[in-house]
Structures are given as C-alpha cells and as structure tokens.
Amino acid sequence: MKIPFNRPFIAGKELFYISQAVLEGRLAGDGRFTKNCQKWIEENLKCKKVLLTHSCTAALEMAAVLSEIDAGDEVIMPSFTFVSTANAFVMRGGKPVFVDIRSDTLNIDENIIEAAITEKTKVIVPVHYAGEPCEMEKISELAKKHKLLVIEDAAQGMFAGYKGRFLGTIGDIGCLSFHETKNVISGEGGAILINNDSLIERAEIIREKGTNRSKFFRGQVDKYTWIDVGSSYLPSELIGAFLFAQLENSEKVTAERVRIYNKYYDMLKPLEEKGYIRLPYSRNSSNGHIFYILTESLEERTELISFLKEQDILAVFHYVPLHSSPAGRKFGRVHGEMVNTDNAGNKLLRLPLFYEITDEMIEKVADSVFAFYRKYTKVR
Ligand SMILES: *Cc1c(COP(=O)(O)O)cnc(C)c1O
C-alpha cells in the first residue's frame, strides 16, 4: 500500500459542470460558473467582493498592485511561508521585512511587528499557517495606528475562522488558494477577497488587463478601454466549473479533513506525552488543512522521512525560510531573531492528508511514526 502525500479528488459534479461549460460554448473567464463561485464565496464567507483568480499567487500580485507598492516600500511578513507571499511584492519593487513566528502557532509574532515598522512600511501580511488564525485584532490595531494595509495570505485558511469571522475577510484584502494541495481545489486557482470598499473598482480593472471591461459589460460606461496597469488574472470557465462543484461539497470535504486531523492527533498523542514529538497547536483544527509534527532536530526529521519512505509513505517538509533563501537575502531584510522560524524550517514534517485517505492508511502512517521512535530512541 503506497501512501502519497496528497491526491486530488472529485467531490461531486465537477465533470458534469465542465461538460456544461463546454456545451454552452463559454470557455473564457467570467461566465456563469465563475460568477456562481464568486457569489458562493461572498455569501458563505460573508465577504463584500470576491474575484476568482488563476492562483493565490495571482491574488497576492493583485493585492501588491492595489496597495500601490513603490520601489523600496516595505512589507512586513513571516519568513516561514511560501515564496509567493514575498514574490508578489518584490515584483512591484517592494522589500519584504521578515519577522519571526510564534513558537506555538507558527504564525507571525504580532508582538514584534511594531518594532519592524519604519517610514517605508506600507503593508502587513499575516499568513494563517495551517488554517490557524494570526492574532488579527492586534495586527489590525497596529495597521490602523500606522496607516498600513493588511493583506491576509489565507491560502491555507479556507473556512477557518477568527473570533466569528472567516479568514481572508478580516484584512483590507484576503487571498485564497484552490491549488490541488489545498482543501477546496481546481488544480490551479485562487480568489482575491476585497473587504475594503475603496479597492473594489480598481481590483476589477487590474484583473482585466488594466481595462474597464467589467464596467462596460455592466453597461456603466460606453467604451471599453485601457485605463490602468493590469494583467490577465482571471481563470477560464473550465476552472470555474470544476471549482463550483468543489464549493458545493466543501462542507463535507472540510468535515472529513478535520476528522482525519483528529484521528492523527489522537493516535500520535502518546508520542507527544513521552516527549518525542510536538503536535500542532490546536487540538481541534477548524479546517484540517495540514497535519504536522515537530521533531527534535533536523537529523531526526531526515531519518524519519527516509524511514517512512521505506514503508511507501510520502511525508514532506516545508518551508526553507525565505530569509535564508538566495532571493530572500537579495530582496528582503530580517528584523530581529529568527529562532522559531529556523526551528520550524528544520523540524516540521507534514503527514499525508487528503480527502480520500483511508483509515487504514492513517493507521499505517501513525504506526510507522511509532515504529520509528521505538527504533530511533534505541539506537540513540
Ligand atoms: C499555497 C500557498 C500559496 C500559493 O498558492 P497558489 O494558488 O499555488 O498560487 C501562497 N501562500 C501560501 C501560504 C500557500 O500555502
């Protein structure tokens, strides 16, 4: 029994909707499936304006344009994140300022942010790691005090919440991902959530190659023309059709991922109690996006990965902290110590977690982790 790390899945009418889109003769973006997805997300996440994009990376790039980043402007973010969080701003000439994460949630440490703010700071980017919410109250307060924008990287935060609100709907802008490794998928895919009214009109323009095409189609202007910078950030209807079926089934999918998360948690708890590993911060994940364990050291993690591989189990780690990557060193700067970031970068291991993983597979993974520690502690 081979256990992959991730496996994309069909949750309902994906293929039927794709064939409908084809038969209706609408393959370009912003047809009825794209609009249905946007409306669905607006209603279910309680959000003012949602625009589908072809990735979360694209949503972050749009957010960087919307925040009017100029050369040298600083953007405060964690270093323990995916490259797109930083790249989107670097492409506009911005400078990522990396601050450490908290040792418990692995999210940006809200208590260091203020000291990292300078005259040049324009944006704070909280990344909700594994769907665990950042301390948005404190972050929003700081942003208000220093007149900064808050752009949530909620790529992993679909349906996770913070104080009664959904992640991605709290900052000025939120960015979601529907990449095949996320909870709700469309292969590649994403959405930008615009929670600040003053940014909505410009967001539509940037997404439509810098034109007022959206306004034209609504009959609000009589000419469709180039009026601002922009690019092609909208996905094809085929993506919208696939995604709509996923959204319709997203409650069931999320509940199943949470069940898998809880099963891992319960099975591995004894190893944490004996002091061998650390389990994720939350006993109850709100969206079951990632299940990770923290090992004692980089060497131990490397050995555990090969041990699992021998049992046909693919477990993976991320991230190489951005502040220590070649591009991160070139384009960004570090504020303060990076102890917790380096720790997570060296010791975190993600276990297989996907919608169709079976109980038998979960048990094999957990048993294998146990077997490793029985063996490992003996040889140590
Ligand atoms: C997956 C991910 C992204 C990028 O999403 P894409 O849709 O693949 O562009 C950005 N940030 C974080 C934190 C992610 O996990």
Side-chain angles (χ1 to χ4, degrees), residues 21-37:
V22 173
L23 292 172
E24 285 167 20
R26 171 79 188 217
L27 297 185
D30 279 345
R32 78 172 171 105
F33 285 108
T34 302
K35 292 205 169 103
N36 282 347
C37 289

mmCIF file of all heavy atoms in Angstrom, residues 21-37:
data_model
loop_
_atom_site.group_PDB
_atom_site.id
_atom_site.type_symbol
_atom_site.label_atom_id
_atom_site.label_comp_id
_atom_site.label_asym_id
_atom_site.label_seq_id
_atom_site.Cartn_x
_atom_site.Cartn_y
_atom_site.Cartn_z
ATOM 1 N N ALA A 21 -20.157 23.689 -19.371
ATOM 2 C CA ALA A 21 -19.475 24.914 -19.814
ATOM 3 C C ALA A 21 -19.050 24.768 -21.277
ATOM 4 O O ALA A 21 -19.227 25.687 -22.080
ATOM 5 C CB ALA A 21 -18.261 25.199 -18.923
ATOM 6 N N VAL A 22 -18.533 23.582 -21.617
ATOM 7 C CA VAL A 22 -18.088 23.346 -22.998
ATOM 8 C C VAL A 22 -19.278 23.401 -23.956
ATOM 9 O O VAL A 22 -19.242 24.077 -24.977
ATOM 10 C CB VAL A 22 -17.366 21.985 -23.115
ATOM 11 C CG1 VAL A 22 -17.055 21.660 -24.571
ATOM 12 C CG2 VAL A 22 -16.082 21.984 -22.285
ATOM 13 N N LEU A 23 -20.362 22.697 -23.590
ATOM 14 C CA LEU A 23 -21.534 22.650 -24.473
ATOM 15 C C LEU A 23 -22.197 24.020 -24.616
ATOM 16 O O LEU A 23 -22.748 24.346 -25.656
ATOM 17 C CB LEU A 23 -22.552 21.619 -23.948
ATOM 18 C CG LEU A 23 -22.066 20.167 -24.049
ATOM 19 C CD1 LEU A 23 -23.030 19.224 -23.334
ATOM 20 C CD2 LEU A 23 -21.874 19.742 -25.501
ATOM 21 N N GLU A 24 -22.115 24.823 -23.565
ATOM 22 C CA GLU A 24 -22.700 26.165 -23.641
ATOM 23 C C GLU A 24 -21.819 27.113 -24.454
ATOM 24 O O GLU A 24 -22.201 28.250 -24.729
ATOM 25 C CB GLU A 24 -22.919 26.735 -22.231
ATOM 26 C CG GLU A 24 -24.118 26.100 -21.539
ATOM 27 C CD GLU A 24 -24.176 26.400 -20.044
ATOM 28 O OE1 GLU A 24 -23.539 27.371 -19.580
ATOM 29 O OE2 GLU A 24 -24.852 25.643 -19.321
ATOM 30 N N GLY A 25 -20.620 26.642 -24.789
ATOM 31 C CA GLY A 25 -19.756 27.428 -25.660
ATOM 32 C C GLY A 25 -19.101 28.613 -24.992
ATOM 33 O O GLY A 25 -18.806 29.620 -25.625
ATOM 34 N N ARG A 26 -18.868 28.482 -23.677
ATOM 35 C CA ARG A 26 -18.232 29.590 -22.971
ATOM 36 C C ARG A 26 -17.006 29.046 -22.236
ATOM 37 O O ARG A 26 -17.145 28.355 -21.236
ATOM 38 C CB ARG A 26 -19.223 30.177 -21.967
ATOM 39 C CG ARG A 26 -18.626 31.196 -21.030
ATOM 40 C CD ARG A 26 -18.489 32.541 -21.694
ATOM 41 N NE ARG A 26 -17.746 33.458 -20.864
ATOM 42 C CZ ARG A 26 -18.021 34.749 -20.769
ATOM 43 N NH1 ARG A 26 -19.029 35.260 -21.428
ATOM 44 N NH2 ARG A 26 -17.274 35.535 -20.025
ATOM 45 N N LEU A 27 -15.808 29.344 -22.770
ATOM 46 C CA LEU A 27 -14.600 28.832 -22.125
ATOM 47 C C LEU A 27 -13.769 29.930 -21.488
ATOM 48 O O LEU A 27 -13.004 29.689 -20.559
ATOM 49 C CB LEU A 27 -13.746 28.066 -23.141
ATOM 50 C CG LEU A 27 -14.392 26.818 -23.747
ATOM 51 C CD1 LEU A 27 -13.393 26.089 -24.630
ATOM 52 C CD2 LEU A 27 -14.921 25.873 -22.679
ATOM 53 N N ALA A 28 -13.881 31.155 -21.982
ATOM 54 C CA ALA A 28 -13.140 32.272 -21.396
ATOM 55 C C ALA A 28 -13.693 32.559 -20.004
ATOM 56 O O ALA A 28 -14.702 31.981 -19.592
ATOM 57 C CB ALA A 28 -13.267 33.499 -22.289
ATOM 58 N N GLY A 29 -13.052 33.441 -19.280
ATOM 59 C CA GLY A 29 -13.432 33.694 -17.890
ATOM 60 C C GLY A 29 -14.703 34.507 -17.720
ATOM 61 O O GLY A 29 -15.316 34.960 -18.689
ATOM 62 N N ASP A 30 -15.092 34.617 -16.437
ATOM 63 C CA ASP A 30 -16.239 35.442 -16.040
ATOM 64 C C ASP A 30 -17.572 35.044 -16.675
ATOM 65 O O ASP A 30 -18.436 35.892 -16.891
ATOM 66 C CB ASP A 30 -15.944 36.933 -16.275
ATOM 67 C CG ASP A 30 -15.110 37.510 -15.132
ATOM 68 O OD1 ASP A 30 -15.032 36.850 -14.073
ATOM 69 O OD2 ASP A 30 -14.541 38.599 -15.300
ATOM 70 N N GLY A 31 -17.742 33.753 -16.981
ATOM 71 C CA GLY A 31 -19.050 33.238 -17.378
ATOM 72 C C GLY A 31 -19.837 32.867 -16.135
ATOM 73 O O GLY A 31 -19.480 33.247 -15.016
ATOM 74 N N ARG A 32 -20.887 32.060 -16.329
ATOM 75 C CA ARG A 32 -21.784 31.833 -15.190
ATOM 76 C C ARG A 32 -21.150 31.016 -14.063
ATOM 77 O O ARG A 32 -21.456 31.235 -12.889
ATOM 78 C CB ARG A 32 -23.105 31.225 -15.666
ATOM 79 C CG ARG A 32 -23.073 29.746 -15.992
ATOM 80 C CD ARG A 32 -24.497 29.257 -16.267
ATOM 81 N NE ARG A 32 -24.496 27.915 -16.782
ATOM 82 C CZ ARG A 32 -24.851 26.861 -16.036
ATOM 83 N NH1 ARG A 32 -25.206 27.023 -14.800
ATOM 84 N NH2 ARG A 32 -24.856 25.655 -16.577
ATOM 85 N N PHE A 33 -20.247 30.091 -14.390
ATOM 86 C CA PHE A 33 -19.640 29.304 -13.308
ATOM 87 C C PHE A 33 -18.711 30.164 -12.456
ATOM 88 O O PHE A 33 -18.702 30.061 -11.224
ATOM 89 C CB PHE A 33 -18.901 28.084 -13.873
ATOM 90 C CG PHE A 33 -19.847 26.997 -14.306
ATOM 91 C CD1 PHE A 33 -20.050 26.720 -15.648
ATOM 92 C CD2 PHE A 33 -20.566 26.274 -13.361
ATOM 93 C CE1 PHE A 33 -20.932 25.720 -16.041
ATOM 94 C CE2 PHE A 33 -21.457 25.270 -13.739
ATOM 95 C CZ PHE A 33 -21.644 24.991 -15.087
ATOM 96 N N THR A 34 -17.920 31.006 -13.119
ATOM 97 C CA THR A 34 -17.046 31.910 -12.365
ATOM 98 C C THR A 34 -17.893 32.793 -11.450
ATOM 99 O O THR A 34 -17.606 32.960 -10.261
ATOM 100 C CB THR A 34 -16.231 32.793 -13.337
ATOM 101 O OG1 THR A 34 -15.473 31.939 -14.190
ATOM 102 C CG2 THR A 34 -15.301 33.724 -12.589
ATOM 103 N N LYS A 35 -18.979 33.341 -12.010
ATOM 104 C CA LYS A 35 -19.849 34.225 -11.211
ATOM 105 C C LYS A 35 -20.510 33.464 -10.059
ATOM 106 O O LYS A 35 -20.619 33.981 -8.953
ATOM 107 C CB LYS A 35 -20.907 34.863 -12.120
ATOM 108 C CG LYS A 35 -20.250 35.843 -13.083
ATOM 109 C CD LYS A 35 -21.215 36.911 -13.559
ATOM 110 C CE LYS A 35 -20.458 38.009 -14.289
ATOM 111 N NZ LYS A 35 -20.585 37.928 -15.752
ATOM 112 N N ASN A 36 -20.941 32.221 -10.337
ATOM 113 C CA ASN A 36 -21.528 31.402 -9.260
ATOM 114 C C ASN A 36 -20.533 31.175 -8.126
ATOM 115 O O ASN A 36 -20.894 31.214 -6.953
ATOM 116 C CB ASN A 36 -21.969 30.036 -9.795
ATOM 117 C CG ASN A 36 -23.284 30.121 -10.558
ATOM 118 O OD1 ASN A 36 -23.982 31.128 -10.488
ATOM 119 N ND2 ASN A 36 -23.615 29.073 -11.291
ATOM 120 N N CYS A 37 -19.282 30.890 -8.490
ATOM 121 C CA CYS A 37 -18.239 30.665 -7.464
ATOM 122 C C CYS A 37 -18.062 31.926 -6.620
ATOM 123 O O CYS A 37 -17.996 31.856 -5.389
ATOM 124 C CB CYS A 37 -16.899 30.319 -8.104
ATOM 125 S SG CYS A 37 -16.844 28.694 -8.864
#
